Amino acid sequence: MYKKTTSLMIGALAAASLSTSALAQTTITVSTWAGPNHGINTIVWPTWKAWIEEATEGRVTLDVVHDMGPPASQMEMVADGIADATWVFHGYNTGRFELTKLPEFPTFEEFSSEDASAAYWRTHQEYLAEAGEHRGVDVVAAGVHGPGWIFSREQYETLDDLRGERIRVGGGVMGDLSTALELTGVALPPTGVYEAGSQGVIDGAMLVPEGLRSFRVAEVFPHTLRVDGGFYRGSFTIVVNPMIWDRVSAEDRAAIEAVSGERLSRLFGYMFDTVDVRGVAFAEEQGHTFTDLGGEDLETLSGISDSLVEAWAETVTESRGVDARAAMAYFHEQLDAAAEEEGVAALVPATIVAAE
């Protein structure tokens, strides 16, 4: 009888311990706004989740929820506690973010999104964070997407071909550039490009190569106009509500931060490098035409870019109190440094790589 009672007590205590352990697990709710097949959902969130679970020994995990709100609302959703974390494209928040245009200007040089994201994270920490453009949330990663190109129904070969054309834009430097090129900019999220293109609402779209596949752009726009390094790049951050730190121990917060920051920033860039290659391959399979801008048009675009950078630097130095020119120089120094360092590919779980 004693042994039976003891066994029952041990079993009850074990069950109670397991129940308490399960209840003690903290779940960070992540809002995501791209389609389920986008790299943010197939590479970034699953990998960050695996890193966090390993770092915290399973005490903290992620729950990724789709369609909690439109892209432009993500920052406020996290600040208000509707979601715990999300990814923010700064161009959708006109007027709030200006310093974040720093990595978006044309460079006319090829570089990886992973290296750019690492450099951008370092620049954010060194120069940009102090301006408080992300007040209300904590920035845990910064990212830069791939080269922005122009996809179109008709083949464009020169800047003159673009004048007056109805081209999808998404804000940030992309919007400034479209004005300078005398396009008719149409503000749309990337998720709306396929419908608008198929219905003839727009003639083309400024977007990244991955969109050829993930947003089905190649199906409605069979031509691409390219520039080395892109007409523009896109600035992102991954942000969390500061209240989540009250739900985890100091040890687990340190563990989460150790697998965020530059490491998560590199992962974000690695994702874009990976999906951009797939986007181009997908378009090539459909007979897509790629045209490279050249000659005097490149000189014209370079002059436009220099003017945009100068105007931006003057504005943000005065309005944000940040030495924009020093920050820009630092970013390019770190871009070169990041290219010489080991990437993040080896840290992506094999199961996620295999699934892709």
Side-chain angles (χ1 to χ4, degrees):
M1 179 67 179
Y2 172 77
K3 289 183 177 179
K4 183 177 181 180
T5 302
T6 302
S7 297
L8 289 171
M9 289 178 64
I10 291 173
L13 287 170
S17 176
L18 287 171
S19 176
T20 301
S21 176
L23 289 173
Q25 187 180 54
T26 299
T27 299
I28 298 173
T29 301
V30 177
S31 169
T32 193
W33 46 266
N37 294 323
H38 191 282
I40 190 76
N41 299 315
T42 61
I43 298 175
V44 176
W45 300 138
T47 300
W48 195 34
K49 177 180 180 178
W51 288 351
I52 287 175
E53 289 179 344
E54 180 181 10
T56 63
E57 299 179 334
R59 291 183 296 273
V60 183
T61 188
L62 300 186
D63 179 30
V64 179
V65 181
H66 293 258
D67 302 323
M68 293 182 71
S73 71
Q74 297 298 308
M75 182 85 165
E76 285 67 29
M77 287 174 56
V78 170
D80 293 341
I82 298 171
D84 297 321
T86 192
W87 59 311
V88 175
F89 176 61
H90 299 111
Y92 293 149
N93 297 264
T94 304
R96 176 162 189 173
F97 298 103
E98 287 295 327
L99 287 168
T100 56
K101 291 181 179 178
L102 183 146
E104 296 190 341
F105 296 101
T107 61
F108 307 99
E109 296 179 1
E110 296 290 351
F111 54 87
S112 76
S113 296
E114 180 178 344
D115 294 339
S117 296
Y120 188 27
W121 169 255
R122 298 173 192 177
T123 307
H124 177 270
Q125 296 300 91
E126 185 72 19
Y127 285 95
L128 311 186
E130 64 188 51
E133 287 191 329
H134 289 84
R135 58 191 175 279
V137 299
D138 286 352
V139 177
V140 294
V144 180
H145 72 39
W149 295 339
I150 299 176
F151 310 119
S152 58
R153 182 174 295 104
E154 303 296 329
Q155 185 173 7
Y156 301 143
E157 297 181 344
T158 69
L159 296 181
D160 283 339
D161 292 339
L162 298 171
R163 287 194 175 91
E165 294 293 276
R166 298 166 300 170
I167 305 297
R168 174 268 171 182
V169 296
V173 166
M174 192 188 332
D176 298 335
L177 184 63
S178 69
T179 299
L181 293 176
E182 300 180 29
L183 308 178
T184 301
V186 180
L188 281 174
T191 49
V193 170
Y194 176 83
E195 182 177 1
S198 61
Q199 294 179 355
V201 175
I202 55 177
D203 302 309
M206 285 189 175
L207 209 59
V208 287
E210 62 93 11
L212 289 164
R213 177 173 177 254
S214 65
F215 296 117
R216 302 175 62 191
V217 172
E219 297 177 29
V220 291
F221 296 137
H223 303 285
T224 293
L225 184 61
R226 302 184 298 194
V227 171
D228 284 347
F231 283 90
Y232 67 95
R233 293 271 176 155
S235 164
F236 298 79
T237 45
I238 295 176
V239 301
V240 300
N241 185 302
M243 297 289 285
I244 70 166
W245 305 126
D246 296 332
R247 292 157 39 199
V248 301
S249 67
E251 176 188 4
D252 284 343
R253 175 176 181 171
I256 294 168
E257 290 177 335
V259 296
S260 303
E262 183 169 329
R263 183 171 170 177
L264 181 56
S265 300
R266 276 192 172 275
L267 175 66
F268 188 93
Y270 162 85
M271 175 271 291
F272 265 111
D273 289 333
T274 301
V275 296
D276 279 349
V277 170
R278 293 173 186 158
V280 170
F282 176 77
E284 288 176 340
E285 290 172 0
Q286 300 191 45
H288 203 84
T289 299
F290 292 91
T291 302
D292 294 309
L293 190 73
E296 294 182 359
D297 282 325
L298 276 179
E299 295 181 16
T300 299
L301 185 61
S302 179
I304 290 172
S305 177
D306 289 345
S307 297
L308 291 176
V309 171
E310 187 60 26
W312 167 80
E314 289 184 8
T315 298
V316 300
T317 298
E318 181 178 347
S319 65
R320 300 298 199 262
V322 173
D323 188 338
R325 293 175 180 83
M328 180 69 82
Y330 183 80
F331 170 73
H332 285 284
E333 290 171 4
Q334 296 307 311
L335 184 57
D336 291 339
E340 299 299 321
E341 298 164 4
E342 187 174 355
V344 77
L347 300 176
V348 179
T351 53
I352 293 174
V353 175
E356 287 295 307

